Amino acid sequence: MECDEVMLTVRITAAEQLLLRRLAQGHRSDVSEVVADALLDIIPTFVSPADAHRLLGALAAPAPCALTVWLPTPLADLLVPGAARIAQVTQVRIGSASAMLGAALRLWLTQDPGRLAENLSVMHAGRPSSALVAA
């Protein structure tokens, strides 16, 4: 039996978790949908050596909170070649799809919260969003 979604657990900080929840509420979606959108937004940066090193930096920072999300299988499948690209550029292997997703998500969350909300609005074709309280 095939599943159209993959469950992954990532490590993030409490502040990052709060920001994700606020973004999800602001766009009337769930956290998994915001994480999927974040991955779509950050994937193109995997080709940049500077961003590859920034991604490793995001992975190295302590992250005490576990967050379980569901991703569409085709999107989750992009984590493996993304990790391979990071290893090619940095000579450092990322151990799992969850670690890769966590690093990508944490890198995405370093942007200005207002910019993240605007990007989500664009990705959702203008779906109205409620006010986002800055983290």
Side-chain angles (χ1 to χ4, degrees):
M1 175 182 229
E2 255 185 69
C3 183
D4 59 346
E5 291 185 318
V6 175
M7 181 177 72
L8 295 167
T9 300
V10 297
R11 305 293 299 183
I12 60 176
T13 67
E16 291 164 340
Q17 190 172 34
L18 179 61
L19 177 55
L20 276 173
R21 286 184 180 146
R22 287 180 176 167
L23 288 167
Q25 288 171 346
H27 291 280
R28 297 186 183 108
S29 61
D30 63 27
V31 170
S32 290
E33 185 177 351
V34 172
V35 170
D37 291 341
L39 189 56
L40 287 172
D41 195 32
I42 200 83
I43 282 175
T45 66
F46 292 170
V47 298
S48 161
D51 284 332
H53 287 282
R54 287 182 52 226
L55 187 128
L56 287 179
L59 187 61
C65 301
L67 174 70
T68 301
V69 297
W70 291 90
L71 289 180
T73 300
L75 188 55
D77 288 345
L78 295 175
L79 294 169
V80 173
R85 175 65 182 148
I86 298 302
Q88 179 185 32
V89 170
T90 65
Q91 305 303 312
V92 176
R93 289 187 178 272
I94 296 177
S96 68
S98 289
M100 179 64 187
L101 176 60
L105 178 61
R106 295 186 76 198
L107 180 60
W108 183 77
L109 287 169
T110 62
Q111 298 177 68
D112 174 75
R115 181 173 182 218
L116 295 175
E118 288 175 22
N119 289 350
L120 288 171
S121 291
V122 170
M123 293 177 86
H124 289 272
R127 185 182 345 169
S129 65
S130 60
L132 172 69
V133 179

